């Protein structure tokens, strides 16, 4: 299963909780634990045990009757569902401050994503390497997408440029876009978009401080 693929019967809320379970399970596995109950996971996550149980059962996590979920098997089930057991090659468009920070984040590979190229229009960065990743001119997008058979794009460009670049990406065969631009994108059916709205997250945090 690819990075952005979803099972229709699994809710977005369940999907968003899975990485939280995974972090706990990794720690338990490191300590040699073989089984964990939904009650124990609930104590770590502040979620209801029944919610955790339903989430893990929905993705086929293996369990032992009245003993809990198998730690190693549940890790494998979550990684398989999220597509984190295989590396998906992706590229980034927009190598500014945010884009450079994304290129420098080493944790993506642990989550099944490898950024193999970056694109920008600024002469001072085109042709350079950021965090070991080559920056190409945006005019080369279509050719490199086709050559490398890339299907996942990370968009970190200004709002006014986002839709035009998206149209180019779609025409080149891109199937999934992780959008950090502050704008809603229009894409045809069959192209997945995951929007990360940083301003919405900041607004929520500020509101909680009041």
């Amino acid at each position: 299963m690819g990075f952005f693929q979803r099972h229709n019967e699994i809710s977005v809320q369940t999907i968003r909780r899975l990485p939280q379970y995974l972090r706990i399970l990794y720690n338990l596995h490191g300590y040699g634990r073989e089984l964990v109950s939904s009650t124990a996971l609930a104590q770590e996550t502040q979620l209801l045990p029944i919610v955790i149980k339903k989430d893990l059962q929905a993705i086929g996590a293996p369990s032992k009757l009245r003993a809990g979920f198998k730690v190693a098997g549940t890790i494998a089930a979550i990684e398989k569902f999220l597509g984190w057991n295989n590396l998906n090659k992706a590229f980034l468009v927009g190598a500014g401050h945010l884009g450079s920070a994304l290129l420098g984040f080493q944790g993506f590979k642990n989550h099944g994503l490898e950024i193999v190229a970056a694109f920008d229009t600024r002469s001072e960065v085109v042709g350079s390497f950021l965090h070991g990743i080559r920056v190409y001119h945006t005019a080369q997008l279509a050719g490199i997408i086709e050559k490398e058979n890339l299907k996942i794009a990370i968009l970190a460009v200004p709002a006014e440029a986002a839709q035009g670049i998206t149209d180019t990406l779609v025409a080149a065969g891109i199937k999934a876009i992780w959008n950090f631009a502050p704008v809603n994108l229009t894409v045809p059916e069959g192209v997945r978009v995951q929007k990360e709205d940083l301003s919405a997250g900041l607004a929520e945090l500020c509101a909680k401080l009041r």
Side-chain angles (χ1 to χ4, degrees):
M1 178 178 298
F3 184 71
F4 285 93
Q5 287 179 300
R6 299 289 186 259
H7 287 312
N8 292 332
E9 68 273 14
I10 304 295
S11 71
V12 172
Q13 290 78 13
T14 292
I15 292 168
R16 288 186 175 273
R17 288 191 289 263
L18 293 178
Q20 186 178 4
Y21 304 150
L22 200 53
R23 286 192 293 270
I24 298 168
L25 290 164
Y26 283 150
N27 287 333
L28 293 174
H29 189 261
Y31 285 114
R33 284 279 297 276
E34 295 183 0
L35 295 167
V36 63
S37 68
S38 55
T39 301
L41 289 172
Q43 292 173 348
E44 295 287 338
T45 61
Q46 305 302 310
L47 296 168
L48 293 174
I50 187 62
V51 171
I52 296 172
K53 187 175 181 179
K54 287 182 176 180
D55 286 348
L56 296 181
Q57 287 178 338
I59 62 164
S63 61
K64 191 173 181 180
L65 186 63
R66 288 189 289 275
F69 290 92
K70 298 179 181 179
V71 173
T74 301
I75 289 173
I78 294 175
E79 288 181 338
K80 181 179 179 181
F81 177 82
L82 295 175
W84 291 359
N85 57 335
N86 293 304
L87 275 179
N88 294 277
K89 290 185 177 181
F91 62 92
L92 179 138
V93 185
H97 294 300
L98 176 58
S100 180
L102 293 171
L103 291 174
F105 180 59
Q106 299 299 311
F108 285 140
K109 286 187 178 181
N110 295 329
H111 302 327
L113 188 72
E114 181 183 16
I115 302 177
V116 298
F119 296 87
D120 206 286
T121 57
R122 294 170 298 146
S123 59
E124 61 267 30
V125 295
V126 171
S128 66
F129 287 82
L130 292 178
H131 303 285
I133 298 172
R134 176 75 178 269
V135 182
Y136 299 90
H137 196 283
T138 306
Q140 297 175 270
L141 264 172
I144 293 178
I145 289 171
E146 181 178 358
K147 178 183 177 182
E148 300 295 334
N149 193 30
L150 301 174
K151 300 299 181 186
I152 300 174
I154 303 171
L155 208 58
V157 298
E160 60 271 19
Q163 187 60 56
I165 291 174
T166 296
D167 294 341
T168 299
L169 296 176
V170 170
I174 289 302
K175 297 301 181 185
I177 300 173
W178 195 5
N179 179 30
F180 286 85
V183 64
N184 293 321
L185 301 176
T186 300
V187 297
E189 186 176 354
V191 177
R192 309 262 184 172
V193 176
Q194 175 66 39
K195 184 181 179 183
E196 297 297 336
D197 195 332
L198 301 181
S199 60
L202 178 59
E204 183 178 347
L205 176 64
C206 292
K208 289 177 179 178
L209 289 174
R210 295 184 63 185

